[in-house]
Amino acid sequence: MDPVRLSVLDRSRTREGHTHSEALRDTVRLARELERLGYHRVWVSEHHGVPGVAGSAPTVLAAAVAGATRTIRVGTGGVMLPNHRPLVVAEQFGVLESLFPGRIDMGLGRSVGFTDGVRRALGRDKGDAGDFEAQLAELLGWFRGTSPTGVHARPAEGLMVPPFVLAMGEGAAIAARAGLPMVIGDLRNREKMRRGIDHYRDRFRPSVWAPEPYVVISGTIAVAGTPEEARRLLIPEAWSMAHSRTHGTFPPLPPAERVEALTMTGKERDFYESGLTGHIAGTKEQVAHELETVLKETGAQEVLVTTSTYDREALLDSYRRLAAITSG
């Protein structure tokens, strides 16, 4: 298949029998390997109060990743803007860009917490997501020096840190009106994804940040020597999602063999089987064919891979195989 920009979002997923510290260090180690393999970006995420995710402070973790690498772009997928004051976000990214010039991305989302308890702890509620567009405009204004407050964001003002909008719900329309690159998923609902991309391109307004639409499609991709091995990579995350849907908490990733030995309720089994379907998974030849198809359907310029699994060596092997597919 034709070469394409490949990037990775690593959510610092915790694993059964391993610590949060290990999960964060795994992310940093993975970033070094992704750089060596020629990946374009590595991003980290923001989650609060989630047992299965260690990444709660994305700009802090991004600094560690950038400090451990030399050339790969580093960013967030994303900072959840409703949780923060835009001035503080601008200052944080201004510091990152000043320390690692030309390598920092500012991926921005509009979620406000996984549970009601987390939202209360953050001093937010679901309605705060509705202010995302105004918060986004304020944030970009700090970089442009246009704040009506007369305050200046140091050292952000005057810097051009590329912003990306994580398109969930109204995100595609917001990205289009702001003239920003868009990240959209997931690969399991291709029709909905295509509608979002079409809406974004039809309504895009050029800006100082992006003269034309830029689409990043995101989702789970697993590559292995056999289809069965690729499917096993999906099992830990599929079970964690099923558990969260049936028990209300998102647990650390279990080993695939433990999940395979579980006795599940009918409801758990339905969510689990659903979590295994619709992803791009298989051998190099199978993945190359499906990935080429979705790229032709969407016209996306970049793919952001979001795969999580218990076996980090198998995950790295998957990324090696994927890089070999798309390197031309």
Side-chain angles (χ1 to χ4, degrees), residues 105-177:
D105 300 320
M106 186 168 57
L108 305 162
R110 59 199 296 266
S111 296
V112 285
F114 187 62
T115 65
D116 288 339
V118 169
R119 287 188 285 271
R120 285 195 299 272
L122 291 169
R124 299 291 184 268
D125 59 43
K126 290 182 179 180
D128 288 314
D131 296 329
F132 176 71
E133 190 164 11
Q135 293 167 332
L136 179 63
E138 181 184 342
L139 172 62
L140 299 180
W142 289 116
F143 287 93
R144 304 296 292 166
T146 58
S147 172
T149 64
V151 175
H152 298 273
R154 313 289 189 199
E157 188 172 312
L159 298 179
M160 293 292 285
V161 182
F164 294 74
V165 171
L166 276 59
M168 302 294 288
E170 292 299 311
I174 292 171
R177 287 192 292 268

Side-chain angles (χ1 to χ4, degrees), residues 290-310:
E290 192 163 356
L291 188 55
E292 189 168 27
T293 298
V294 74
L295 286 168
K296 286 180 179 177
E297 289 175 352
T298 61
Q301 289 98 327
E302 188 172 338
V303 180
L304 181 70
V305 187
T306 61
T307 310
S308 297
T309 195
Y310 181 89

Side-chain angles (χ1 to χ4, degrees), residues 213-261:
Y214 189 89
V215 175
V216 183
I217 56 173
S218 69
T220 294
I221 302 176
V223 195
T226 67
E228 293 75 22
E229 289 171 339
R231 184 181 183 276
R232 280 180 64 81
L233 282 168
L234 307 176
I235 287 175
E237 184 75 10
W239 169 246
S240 288
M241 290 298 297
H243 189 278
S244 73
R245 296 286 184 88
T246 53
H247 295 80
T249 182
F250 196 62
L253 293 172
E257 56 268 22
R258 190 176 80 73
V259 177
E260 291 171 325

Side-chain angles (χ1 to χ4, degrees), residues 67-95:
T69 54
R70 295 185 302 107
T71 58
I72 195 169
R73 297 195 64 86
V74 178
T76 57
V79 163
M80 297 299 129
L81 196 51
N83 293 338
H84 311 281
R85 293 303 307 166
L87 170 62
V88 175
V89 175
E91 290 170 337
Q92 290 172 346
F93 279 99
V95 169

